[in-house]
Amino acid sequence: EDEPEGNVLSSLDDNETQQYQDSVVLFGPCGSGKTVLFHQLKNSSDRQQKIVQTVTSLRANMEVVDSGLSDDGDGGKGVSVRIIDYPGHVTLSAKLPSLLLPGNRNNGSVRALLVVDSTKPLAEAGSILYNSALTNPVFIDAWRNASTRNGKEIKIMVVCNKCDTTGAKNWRRIKIQLRSELDKLKKIASSIDQNSGGVDTLDEGEGEKRVGLSGKTIDLDDLSKNGVDGVKLNFMSLSCLKGDGMKELREFVSRGNVLAENSSILKSKSRR
């Protein structure tokens, strides 16, 4: 019964010989539009592509694309970016943190897209972010070390998809609701920690340890206040159907740049 989870990264293993510099990981709940977005990003053209019909997958999809942007900006061959579409089913989340760790290939960077459905509650998205990143000890230690030694960080863009749909919330509302969900999880974890007599970590159910977050509330603009170093969150609204926000998202995927002047994007403030 463990076979689906064991095979979730099989497509990556099959293409391990492909050369790339940066990695971009798409993750989030089922039905948020990750795979449709993945197919849009595979095509480097700014022209809106025909929407691909998709079904829930049990394996990660992977494609290496040319960003079209050279390192030195001289118009030469672009940086190769590996784009990974990670399945959203909660039972397959165990291997997600391994894809979010600092890259060691040609000093490349790692960034991520947390794709959410703007019309739906944020409980599941909050749980994935909380458990796979913000309280995952391997993730926390890796980025704390990378930040301290090399000044590296991982940028996670919260993509508020389906913004063209009736009842969709803009990224500002999504940010508030996501913070609320994270605060709920933090309070639950803190209560369990106090009852169990723990100090720094939680030991839940199957012996999986979680890092306890500091601070009274989650600060999405400066996660270092919660003891999470080297992690920056950004938010933007997007419509795969109409293409709204795709130009800005491609810039983030290709180069990790956040276009703060665009009204659909909030650039997290860096407080050091």
Side-chain angles (χ1 to χ4, degrees), residues 5-71:
E5 183 173 350
N7 290 335
V8 68
L9 299 182
S10 59
S11 62
L12 276 65
D13 296 334
D14 294 341
N15 295 279
E16 183 59 31
T17 58
Q18 284 192 270
Q19 298 298 309
Y20 62 90
Q21 183 167 351
D22 293 355
S23 285
V24 177
V25 182
L26 284 68
F27 70 104
C30 292
S32 59
K34 295 185 301 299
T35 302
V36 171
L37 181 56
F38 170 76
H39 285 287
Q40 292 282 324
L41 293 173
K42 281 170 55 177
N43 190 304
S44 60
S45 172
D46 285 333
R47 296 175 57 186
Q48 182 61 8
Q49 305 298 311
K50 181 179 179 180
I51 298 299
V52 177
Q53 296 298 317
T54 65
V55 295
T56 300
S57 175
L58 297 179
R59 297 186 182 185
N61 297 309
M62 190 273 282
E63 187 81 13
V64 174
V65 302
D66 188 335
S67 70
L69 300 169
S70 61
D71 282 328

Side-chain angles (χ1 to χ4, degrees), residues 9-238:
L9 299 182
S10 59
S11 62
L12 276 65
D13 296 334
D14 294 341
N15 295 279
E16 183 59 31
T17 58
Q18 284 192 270
Q19 298 298 309
Y20 62 90
Q21 183 167 351
D22 293 355
S23 285
V24 177
V25 182
L26 284 68
F27 70 104
C30 292
S32 59
K34 295 185 301 299
T35 302
V36 171
L37 181 56
F38 170 76
H39 285 287
Q40 292 282 324
L41 293 173
K42 281 170 55 177
N43 190 304
S44 60
S45 172
D46 285 333
R47 296 175 57 186
Q48 182 61 8
Q49 305 298 311
K50 181 179 179 180
I51 298 299
V52 177
Q53 296 298 317
T54 65
V55 295
T56 300
S57 175
L58 297 179
R59 297 186 182 185
N61 297 309
M62 190 273 282
E63 187 81 13
V64 174
V65 302
D66 188 335
S67 70
L69 300 169
S70 61
D71 282 328
D72 53 15
D74 64 359
K77 183 175 176 59
V79 172
S80 294
V81 179
R82 180 181 70 164
I83 303 176
I84 300 171
D85 167 28
Y86 194 87
H89 200 285
V90 65
T91 61
L92 301 176
S93 62
K95 296 185 181 297
L96 174 59
S98 67
L99 299 177
L100 301 176
L101 301 181
N104 55 12
R105 180 177 295 209
N106 299 325
N107 200 34
S109 64
V110 179
R111 44 195 176 271
L113 308 179
L114 170 54
V115 186
V116 303
D117 185 334
S118 298
T119 68
K120 295 183 178 180
L122 275 295
E124 189 174 352
S127 178
I128 294 173
L129 179 62
Y130 187 87
N131 291 309
S132 295
L134 302 186
T135 63
N136 183 280
V138 176
F139 175 91
I140 293 296
D141 288 345
W143 283 107
R144 178 178 293 135
N145 292 334
S147 176
T148 301
R149 296 175 181 175
N150 307 311
K152 287 187 175 183
E153 65 180 18
I154 180 172
K155 295 178 182 178
I156 301 177
M157 179 69 77
V158 181
V159 180
C160 308
N161 195 20
K162 307 182 183 182
C163 69
D164 59 298
T165 306
T166 301
K169 300 176 285 291
N170 63 36
W171 63 259
R172 297 176 180 85
R173 178 58 57 183
I174 293 292
K175 182 183 179 184
I176 293 172
Q177 293 187 358
L178 181 61
R179 182 178 60 198
S180 177
E181 293 298 337
L182 293 172
D183 279 340
K184 290 178 184 177
L185 293 169
K186 182 178 182 298
K187 289 179 180 179
I188 293 173
S190 178
S191 176
I192 295 175
D193 193 31
Q194 291 176 4
N195 292 334
S196 64
V199 178
D200 294 327
T201 60
L202 300 176
D203 196 347
E204 301 178 353
E206 300 178 354
E208 184 177 15
K209 291 187 176 181
R210 295 291 173 193
V211 176
L213 298 178
S214 59
K216 184 176 180 180
T217 186
I218 303 293
D219 190 332
L220 297 183
D221 292 325
D222 187 359
L223 288 167
S224 65
K225 292 182 177 179
N226 303 113
V228 181
D229 297 319
V231 181
K232 298 297 180 184
L233 289 183
N234 300 277
F235 291 76
M236 68 171 291
S237 294
L238 180 85

Side-chain angles (χ1 to χ4, degrees), residues 223-264:
L223 288 167
S224 65
K225 292 182 177 179
N226 303 113
V228 181
D229 297 319
V231 181
K232 298 297 180 184
L233 289 183
N234 300 277
F235 291 76
M236 68 171 291
S237 294
L238 180 85
S239 169
C240 271
L241 183 62
K242 294 186 176 180
D244 297 339
M246 283 300 299
K247 180 179 179 180
E248 294 79 10
L249 185 61
R250 289 185 188 279
E251 177 68 17
F252 179 79
V253 169
S254 298
R255 272 288 184 75
N257 294 334
V258 177
L259 303 181
E261 66 271 16
N262 184 278
S263 60
S264 68

